[in-house]
Amino acid sequence: SAALCTLLLGGSGTLAFQSSPKYALPSYRSSSSKSQHYLFSSSPARHHRRHHRFTTTPVATIPPGSHCSSPSASPSIISSSSTALEMSTMSTTGNLVTIREAIQAHKNNHSGPGSPKNIFLDGSWHMPMGPSPRNGRSEYIAGPRIRNAFFFDIDDLSSPPPSQPSNPKNLPHNKPSPIKFAAAMDRMGISPEDTLYVYGTKGCAFYHRSYWTLASCGYHDPSKVKLIMGSLDEWKECGGELENEVLNEDDARLFRMSDVNLEKANQTTKYACWKKDDEVMDSSVVDLNQVLAIVNDKNKESHAKDAIIIDARSSGRFYGRDPEPRPGLRGGHMPGALNLPFVSLLDPDDPTKFRSMDEVRDAFVKAGIAPLSEDKEGGGEGQQRKVICTCGSGVTAAALAVGLEECGLRSKDDIYIYDGSWIDWGSEDDTPIVTED
């Protein structure tokens, strides 16, 4: 909608734990203990399995005017955008799936006890500001929602949560700790063998952070996390199963992490990391000190040529012409950072879809991220391989991170999110900030 575009461009039930350990936590290295040089060294190998393409079949009577194809047509989704194609065939990983593929996965989810499941999660999040702010959790409770879907709450899972002494800046969406993630998975009955499907409600341009959290934190096999291209409204139009009733307060899906005794959960969680202990590295996020080291090294023209910083905020905020929506933050950007407003990657008619991957790739290249084969300095050494994605609070940076991987310009191992983003950087008195290139 016009209002959404204006905003983007401008600016308790409890569930008992089962005692037998199935999802044991791995030994884990936190970002605070990670070497500053880890960004500029080879990342641990990750095992990627190709996405299994579901055979698409007609799923329901298609309402007149729907964006779904008719039962006699090709199995691809027909997008409202003239540029959109079937996303699964375009993405590098195969983790972007169409509504039809997702519906087929949902229909096939009738395996026996203990078998891998297809689990659906509403990852909707909305800017908590503006004249009529939306709330993803409230909308999930009110319905409709995909039948048996859970709500993945990036704010509730933040580690450490805002208002805690260990989070004095109230950073709102930090990546969850291993124990908090495992406890949340247990509450939702998710195992590492399950395939997760993340969707967003109509007009939600921010659900990429939920997908990224599930796929990039090192706890769940990223080949088993899918991002649905298309909104809940399109799911309904295509005949996907829904729940329409308002959820009762005692519904087990409405748990809060404050209900969980994490100290006890550390001994009793069933969810186990998909990797071996020696493969688990916190390689998906960076903090202020790590970004500051990159910026300072670039200012001195020294050897930090391996990393690029790219900012998802609007150009007005990036150059300090428009005020930050959060009070107390300075305007401008980090020296040397590139700017690519995240909305440039999204279908202008439906922000729950990317543009074609060719368009996404072109947008990154025009912003300054060259393909590796064209981006050589010093005889092949010091290529700008690593990319740090940042934004206002760590949410829209995820759209850049996902798009960058899916268009094939960088691998997951080379993509990071600055979790604190501009809330962290812009609130400091002495971090370097510029308002020009």
Side-chain angles (χ1 to χ4, degrees), residues 211-284:
Y211 165 80
W212 176 87
T213 300
L214 289 160
S216 300
C217 287
Y219 316 140
H220 205 88
D221 182 345
S223 72
K224 294 182 179 294
V225 187
K226 312 298 180 184
L227 183 65
I228 299 176
M229 295 288 95
S231 70
L232 182 63
D233 277 21
E234 189 172 340
W235 173 279
K236 179 180 179 180
E237 290 178 357
C238 294
E241 288 188 273
L242 292 171
E243 299 171 357
N244 292 293
E245 66 277 5
V246 177
L247 290 182
N248 295 324
E249 291 182 3
D250 60 353
D251 192 296
R253 291 177 288 179
L254 299 182
F255 70 91
R256 292 277 192 176
M257 293 311 297
S258 57
D259 301 333
V260 179
N261 183 334
L262 293 180
E263 185 174 332
K264 180 181 178 181
N266 194 33
Q267 307 299 321
T268 60
T269 51
K270 295 175 62 181
Y271 185 86
C273 184
W274 71 285
K275 292 183 178 181
K276 296 178 181 179
D277 287 0
D278 60 357
E279 292 180 329
V280 177
M281 296 287 288
D282 187 4
S283 57
S284 58

Side-chain angles (χ1 to χ4, degrees), residues 291-313:
V291 177
L292 187 61
I294 295 168
V295 169
N296 286 339
D297 279 350
K298 285 184 179 295
N299 286 342
K300 297 174 184 177
E301 297 185 356
S302 63
H303 298 293
K305 297 178 180 178
D306 188 40
I308 305 170
I309 300 171
I310 188 163
D311 194 321
R313 293 176 300 154

Side-chain angles (χ1 to χ4, degrees), residues 306-339:
D306 188 40
I308 305 170
I309 300 171
I310 188 163
D311 194 321
R313 293 176 300 154
S314 68
S315 60
R317 292 169 63 188
F318 182 81
Y319 291 108
R321 297 190 299 265
D322 296 335
E324 286 296 312
R326 298 167 182 86
L329 301 182
R330 295 183 290 159
H333 61 271
M334 305 161 198
L338 306 176
N339 183 220

Side-chain angles (χ1 to χ4, degrees), residues 58-74:
V59 294
T61 301
I62 308 301
S66 169
H67 299 150
C68 294
S69 57
S70 67
S72 61
S74 163

Side-chain angles (χ1 to χ4, degrees), residues 13 48 79 85 93 125 147 161 227 246 269 326 352 394 397 430 432 437:
H48 294 282
S79 168
L85 301 173
T93 67
W125 184 90
R147 183 167 298 282
L227 183 65
V246 177
T269 51
R326 298 167 182 86
T352 62
D430 56 355
D437 289 330

